[in-house]
C-alpha cells in the first residue's frame, strides 16, 4: 500500500511538472511573428539615433519581434524613400520619424494604412496622421517640439543672465514643417527678450555629417567675438560642440552653450564645461515605446498612444548621475 502511494505521488508530481512546462512553452511572447521596420533617422552609429535604436532593439528582444532597422542620414527625402521600401516589404508595422512632415508623408502613410500596415511615429509628431489613423494604431512618442524649444530657451536665458541686445547664435532646422517648430520657439523667446540673434539653418550636408560644421562655428566666432550664447537645435551637433569650441580657441564656460539630447560626447562636454545646458527627450523610450505601440495594436487592437518623453534639463549638477547611462546608450 505504501509503495503504491509513493508511486502515485511520484506520478502526480511529474504530471504537474510536465503540465507546467507545457503551459510555459505555449505562452509565447506577445510580439512573436510580428515584423517591424524602424527608421532610426540618422546614420549608422549616429550619437542620437543609436539611442533610439537601442530602445527599439530592447523592445524587439523583450517582445519577440523581428526588427529591421533603417538609416536616413536625417534626410527627409531618404525617410520617404525608406518608408516606400518598407511598405513594399509588407511588414506588420513601420515606425517613422516625422521629420518630412504631414504634407510629405500623408499620401504614403494613407496608402500603407489602407493596406493593413500599422504605422506610428517617434521624435517628431505628425499631427494630421495621428488624428486620421489613431484608431488603427498611429500614435506618437516624443516631445512637443515648440514646448521643448521654448523651455530650453527660457531656462538658458535665466541661467546666462543676458541683457537685451546681447548677441546669441541659434543653429536650427526651421525648413522642416513640424521639426522646425523647435527652432522657431527658440527664436520667439530670444526676440521677446530683446536679444540680437544670428540664426543659421543647419544645411543637409551638416545634418548628415556633423564634422562639416567646424568651419561655420570657427568662422562665426572669429567674426563675432561678442557672442555670449549659442543654442544648437540638433542632438548630434550638440555632441560636437566641445570639439567645435576647442578648434575655435574658446575656453570652457566662456560662452553659454545650450543644446538637445544626451550622448557620451555631450556628457563629456558638460563635464568639461563646454556645454552648459541640455534638454533631453529620452530617445531610448522613443525606440522602445514605438515598437511596443505596433505590438499592442497588432495583438490587442489598441489605438495610437501619444506619449510625452520629455526628460527635463541636464547640466553640471546632475550629469554625474546620468553620464554612466549615456555611456551605455540608455540616455
Amino acid at each position: 500500500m505504501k509503495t503504491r502511494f509513493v508511486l502515485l505521488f511520484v506520478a502526480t508530481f511529474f504530471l504537474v511538472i510536465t503540465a507546467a512546462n507545457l503551459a510555459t512553452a505555449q505562452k509565447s511572447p506577445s510580439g512573436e511573428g510580428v515584423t517591424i521596420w524602424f527608421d532610426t533617422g540618422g546614420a549608422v552609429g549616429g550619437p542620437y539615433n543609436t539611442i533610439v535604436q537601442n530602445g527599439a532593439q530592447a523592445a524587439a528582444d523583450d517582445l519577440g519581434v523581428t526588427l529591421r532597422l533603417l538609416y536616413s542620414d536625417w534626410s527627409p527625402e531618404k525617410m520617404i524613400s525608406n518608408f516606400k521600401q518598407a511598405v513594399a516589404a509588407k511588414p506588420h508595422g513601420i515606425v517613422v520619424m516625422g521629420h518630412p512632415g504631414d504634407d510629405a508623408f500623408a499620401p504614403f502613410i494613407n496608402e500603407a494604412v489602407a493596406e493593413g500596415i500599422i504605422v506610428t511615429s517617434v521624435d517628431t509628431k505628425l499631427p494630421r496622421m495621428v488624428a486620421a489613423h489613431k484608431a488603427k494604431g498611429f500614435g506618437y512618442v516624443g516631445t512637443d517640439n515648440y514646448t521643448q524649444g521654448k523651455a530650453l530657451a527660457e531656462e538658458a536665458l535665466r541661467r546666462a543672465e543676458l541683457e537685451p541686445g546681447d548677441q546669441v547664435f541659434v543653429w536650427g532646422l526651421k525648413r522642416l514643417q513640424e521639426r522646425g517648430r523647435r527652432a522657431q520657439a527658440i527664436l520667439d523667446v530670444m526676440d521677446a527678450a530683446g536679444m540680437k540673434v544670428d540664426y543659421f539653418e543647419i544645411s543637409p550636408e551638416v545634418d548628415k555629417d556633423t564634422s562639416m560644421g567646424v568651419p561655420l562655428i570657427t568662422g562665426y566666432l572669429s567674426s563675432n567675438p561678442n557672442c555670449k550664447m549659442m543654442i544648437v537645435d540638433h542632438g548630434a551637433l550638440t555632441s560636437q560642440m566641445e570639439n567645435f569650441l576647442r578648434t575655435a580657441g574658446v575656453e570652457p564656460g566662456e560662452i553659454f552653450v545650450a543644446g538637445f539630447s544626451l550622448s557620451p560626447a555631450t556628457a563629456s562636454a558638460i563635464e568639461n564645461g563646454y556645454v552648459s545646458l541640455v534638454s533631453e527627450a529620452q530617445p531610448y523610450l522613443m525606440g522602445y515605446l514605438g515598437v511596443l505601440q505596433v505590438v499592442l495594436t497588432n495583438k490587442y487592437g489598441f489605438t495610437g498612444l501619444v506619449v510625452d518623453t520629455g526628460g527635463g534639463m541636464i547640466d553640471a549638477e546632475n550629469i554625474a548621475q546620468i553620464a554612466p547611462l549615456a555611456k551605455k546608450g540608455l540616455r
Side-chain angles (χ1 to χ4, degrees):
M1 186 74 176
K2 185 176 181 181
T3 301
R4 287 182 181 177
F5 177 78
V6 171
L7 289 174
L8 180 61
F9 174 79
V10 171
T12 303
F13 174 78
F14 278 107
L15 183 61
V16 170
I17 293 299
T18 301
N21 288 337
L22 284 172
T24 301
Q26 290 170 357
K27 187 178 180 181
S28 58
S30 57
E32 188 172 77
V34 176
T35 300
I36 299 174
W37 286 49
F38 195 118
D39 194 331
T40 69
V44 176
Y48 176 79
N49 63 294
T50 294
I51 304 174
V52 177
Q53 173 181 317
N54 290 344
Q57 190 62 63
D61 293 343
D62 289 347
L63 299 169
V65 165
T66 299
L67 185 67
R68 171 71 183 272
L69 296 167
L70 298 168
Y71 303 91
S72 293
D73 299 325
W74 299 119
S75 163
E77 294 76 19
K78 194 168 182 180
M79 290 179 184
I80 296 292
S81 176
N82 279 340
F83 185 78
K84 292 178 182 178
Q85 180 187 359
V87 171
K90 300 188 183 304
H92 296 90
I94 304 172
V95 182
V96 302
M97 293 218 167
H99 293 61
D102 273 313
D103 292 344
F105 248 142
F108 307 107
I109 290 175
N110 290 340
E111 178 184 347
V113 173
E115 292 181 11
I117 298 172
I118 301 163
V119 184
T120 192
S121 65
V122 300
D123 184 83
T124 297
K125 193 174 183 180
L126 295 167
R128 293 211 316 267
M129 293 298 93
V130 173
H133 302 302
K134 190 172 185 179
K136 295 184 178 180
F138 200 110
Y140 172 63
V141 183
T143 62
D144 177 80
N145 283 319
Y146 194 92
T147 300
Q148 189 184 21
K150 182 174 183 288
L152 178 73
E154 290 175 342
E155 185 64 14
L157 280 178
R158 187 185 69 80
R159 296 190 184 203
E161 299 180 342
L162 301 191
E163 299 291 336
D166 283 344
Q167 193 166 5
V168 176
F169 169 97
V170 177
W171 209 3
L173 286 164
K174 279 173 54 179
R175 69 179 182 276
L176 300 182
Q177 184 181 37
E178 179 68 23
R179 173 66 173 78
R181 294 175 67 244
R182 198 162 75 182
Q184 188 59 57
I186 295 167
L187 294 174
D188 288 347
V189 170
M190 294 298 146
D191 289 343
M195 299 297 114
K196 179 186 176 184
V197 179
D198 294 318
Y199 175 77
F200 290 84
E201 184 75 10
I202 299 169
S203 69
E205 294 75 21
V206 172
D207 203 4
K208 178 179 179 180
D209 181 0
T210 55
S211 65
M212 295 183 68
V214 173
L216 188 147
I217 295 297
T218 55
Y220 173 80
L221 292 177
S222 175
S223 302
N224 297 274
N226 295 322
C227 177
K228 295 187 177 182
M229 177 187 287
M230 306 181 80
I231 301 184
V232 184
D233 180 22
H234 195 286
L237 286 172
T238 300
S239 75
Q240 294 300 311
M241 285 307 292
E242 179 172 355
N243 294 332
F244 294 164
L245 295 177
R246 283 183 183 275
T247 301
V250 175
E251 295 295 322
E254 187 176 340
I255 299 173
F256 190 100
V257 177
F260 294 88
S261 307
L262 208 57
S263 69
T266 302
S268 177
I270 295 172
E271 292 171 332
N272 295 334
Y274 282 95
V275 173
S276 307
L277 185 66
V278 166
S279 174
E280 189 210 8
Q282 303 185 117
Y284 186 92
L285 289 178
M286 296 181 195
Y288 197 102
L289 296 178
V291 169
L292 179 60
Q293 171 71 73
V294 174
V295 172
L296 290 175
T297 301
N298 176 268
K299 184 156 186 175
Y300 306 110
F302 284 131
T303 59
L305 304 174
V306 176
V307 181
D308 187 343
T309 61
M313 305 292 178
I314 311 297
D315 59 14
E317 292 188 4
N318 58 12
I319 190 61
Q321 176 185 359
I322 297 172
L325 298 173
K327 291 178 181 177
K328 293 179 180 179
L330 301 174
R331 294 289 295 271

